[in-house]
Amino acid sequence: MASTAMLNSPCNIGAVKFEIKLKRLPNLLCARPSVKLNRRRMSTIRAIKEGHDNESGSTPLKKMGLTDEECEAAVVAGNVPEAPPVPPKPAAPDGTPIVSSLPINRRPRRNRRSSAVRAAFQETNISPVNLVYPLFIHEGEDDTPIGAMPGCYRLGWRHGLVQEVAKARDVGVNSIVLFPKVPDALKTSTGDEAYNDNGLVPRTIRLLKDKYPDLVIYTDVALDPYSSDGHDGIVREDGVIMNDETVHQLCKQAVSQARAGADVVSPSDMMDGRVGAIRAALDAEGFQHVSIMSYTAKYASSFYGPFREALDSNPRFGDKKTYQMNPANYREALVELQADESEGADILLVKPGLPYLDIIRLLRDKSPLPIAAYQVSGEYSMIKAGGVLKMIDEERVMMESLMCLRRAGADIILTYFALQAARCLCGEKGYKLAGS
């Protein structure tokens, strides 16, 4: 007596129903089924294609209870389920010349032929954990727009800042760096407000740590926001920036920030010997756990303009070329690298970012320490301006620029795009890499 069973093909390209008639011997199922011919080829298997594939939303295929042996026996008997035919070779446009294939074995385009293949072989990735969000703060309650940096504000330290940090944390950005707009009345030639334990930055750190204990807070160690001269150090009457006296002030500033709860202090002043002095000062006060991110290669760049507007910290006279690096110099970065490593820096930073990819790569190749890149205000504002003018796709250029910084060797990136980029990465904007 024959038994009848229905089989659905396990392939993903269409529901195919099969009817198999197998002859049973007493207490034994034959290894090769008897063939009862029907239809044109009198086949044991009748294949009927139904519906669409599962991915297009059709009803899921049901298993019919056949064993692997029964399925294999049908195939061995020559009753192979139907499948789509081999697709035809796509036609070239009219007029395409007929040529012989080039005699080359290596065709790199094979590894770029589809989005899935490109994703599998992508060498560099970026996620919100790679981003540090620079935030400007002031004593006021309202958030004040920064004209030269669309989308950025001087945030009220008790209200707007807390809300902005919450937004960043919601999309995976849990590291920030604080930059204060200090009242002019508190600025002096020696920048004493920089180490006031009840100043704007220490108060803000304590507030944020109380609300978000696991938030990673970087701080800026430099005198320019607190200096009546607008320089990163104390200015002598002849215009010379005093190095060792400035370092003395910076050590007190770093200790004050650590006492408030800072996780990473970041000397951006470019004074000689400041990393070692700050490390010693922190250790002496019991802050061995506080890290130092040194601005190792900070260039005297023209890309800082919008930042100085944000903090109202332009130099009152002269420039910063006697302490910041010459943009024309490459090897000099190695001198700064060796000094910072030997003095105890935990992280090495390059500033600006995109115009200095070669320096990022240099530090990456020469040091085992983590490398940071600062995508500065001028870089940010140019991308924003190009987007507003519809000259570029703002989001794609933003993400490409960040990916390039990562590719050059940056482990973390300080960027005003942190919140916007993290939202893209989390899918709020449906962002995809340009090559996908």
Side-chain angles (χ1 to χ4, degrees):
M1 180 177 178
S3 63
T4 301
M6 300 300 295
L7 168 67
N8 280 316
S9 170
C11 66
N12 294 325
I13 54 175
V16 182
K17 186 180 294 182
F18 301 97
E19 182 178 300
I20 304 177
K21 294 189 177 182
L22 303 175
K23 182 177 180 180
R24 291 185 181 274
L25 297 178
N27 300 321
L28 178 67
L29 177 64
C30 294
R32 288 182 180 270
S34 62
V35 180
K36 181 176 180 180
L37 302 178
N38 56 40
R39 296 186 63 183
R40 289 184 210 166
R41 298 178 56 195
M42 307 300 287
S43 173
T44 300
I45 298 179
R46 186 174 65 214
I48 307 169
K49 186 166 184 180
E50 297 179 341
H52 302 284
D53 61 84
N54 285 335
E55 292 182 358
S56 64
S58 66
T59 303
L61 302 176
K62 294 181 180 179
K63 294 181 179 180
M64 300 309 296
L66 293 178
T67 66
D68 291 349
E69 289 78 7
E70 289 171 329
C71 295
E72 291 175 358
V75 174
V76 170
N79 302 312
V80 180
E82 289 184 357
V86 175
K89 184 177 180 180
D94 292 341
T96 300
I98 299 174
V99 299
S100 300
S101 294
L102 294 173
I104 54 177
N105 294 324
R106 179 64 57 203
R107 290 181 181 263
R109 289 185 58 190
R110 285 194 286 261
N111 289 340
R112 300 194 290 264
R113 67 183 180 274
S114 71
S115 59
V117 171
R118 290 192 296 273
F121 301 141
Q122 183 167 310
E123 301 172 24
T124 305
N125 292 286
I126 187 169
S127 78
V129 300
N130 301 122
L131 307 178
V132 178
Y133 196 7
L135 295 170
F136 302 108
I137 55 175
H138 69 154
E139 295 284 7
E141 294 187 348
D142 296 329
D143 300 337
T144 305
I146 299 169
M149 299 179 68
C152 292
Y153 298 81
R154 294 174 184 163
L155 301 168
W157 71 280
R158 287 174 296 179
H159 305 290
L161 172 66
V162 174
Q163 294 168 5
E164 194 72 4
V165 169
K167 293 176 187 176
R169 285 166 59 89
D170 284 345
V171 288
V173 177
N174 197 46
S175 299
I176 65 164
V177 56
L178 297 171
F179 294 103
K181 165 48 175 86
V182 177
D184 288 344
L186 295 177
K187 296 181 180 182
T188 63
S189 59
T190 53
D192 295 346
E193 181 65 15
Y195 50 87
N196 176 3
D197 284 344
N198 204 36
L200 177 57
V201 169
R203 271 185 280 127
T204 300
I205 296 171
R206 296 197 299 267
L207 174 69
L208 290 175
K209 281 295 186 178
D210 181 67
K211 188 167 183 63
Y212 306 116
D214 64 333
L215 179 69
V216 180
I217 299 179
Y218 293 71
T219 56
D220 180 48
V221 179
L223 296 186
D224 51 327
Y226 308 91
S227 169
S228 54
D229 296 312
H231 277 281
D232 292 45
I234 299 172
V235 184
R236 207 166 61 190
E237 65 178 357
D238 60 355
V240 171
I241 309 301
M242 304 177 73
N243 190 94
D244 297 6
E245 294 80 0
T246 296
V247 170
H248 178 79
Q249 298 290 77
L250 298 177
C251 289
K252 293 193 285 185
Q253 181 184 17
V255 168
S256 176
Q257 294 170 349
R259 187 179 295 121
D263 298 285
V264 185
V265 296
S266 310
S268 64
D269 57 287
M270 292 298 289
M271 298 296 119
D272 295 336
R274 88 276 202 209
V275 172
I278 290 171
R279 182 73 273 162
L282 290 171
D283 291 354
E285 294 293 328
F287 298 117
Q288 292 89 349
H289 61 283
V290 174
S291 301
I292 296 176
M293 179 175 72
S294 174
Y295 282 55
T296 298
K298 181 178 180 180
Y299 286 84
S301 172
S302 299
F303 284 90
Y304 303 149
F307 177 94
R308 291 173 182 167
E309 175 186 321
L311 296 186
D312 190 20
S313 62
N314 276 303
R316 188 169 58 84
F317 62 89
D319 54 42
K320 301 189 177 186
K321 293 181 179 180
T322 65
Y323 47 99
Q324 294 179 359
M325 289 174 58
N326 185 341
N329 288 1
Y330 176 84
R331 298 190 306 273
E332 186 181 0
L334 292 176
V335 176
E336 297 288 350
L337 162 67
Q338 293 163 3
D340 288 353
E341 280 188 331
S342 66
E343 292 176 26
D346 300 288
I347 308 165
L348 310 176
L349 182 141
V350 177
K351 181 181 181 182
L354 208 61
Y356 294 84
L357 294 180
D358 58 331
I359 306 301
I360 296 171
R361 173 48 56 184
L362 176 66
L363 267 60
R364 171 74 290 145
D365 289 343
K366 297 296 183 179
S367 175
L369 293 177
I371 304 299
Y374 199 144
Q375 185 181 50
V376 300
S377 58
E379 299 173 68
Y380 170 86
S381 295
M382 287 193 300
I383 293 173
K384 281 289 184 181
V388 169
L389 295 173
K390 305 300 182 184
M391 299 172 68
I392 57 173
D393 183 321
E394 178 186 316
E395 286 190 356
R396 287 191 176 275
V397 172
M398 167 188 72
M399 294 307 301
E400 183 177 340
S401 67
L402 296 173
M403 186 65 78
C404 290
L405 292 167
R406 287 276 293 148
R407 187 196 66 226
D411 297 289
I412 60 172
I413 304 168
L414 285 67
T415 175
Y416 305 99
F417 283 121
L419 177 58
Q420 184 180 350
R423 284 174 171 168
C424 290
L425 290 167
C426 290
E428 291 189 14
K429 295 286 188 177
Y431 169 76
K432 291 184 178 180
L433 286 175
S436 63

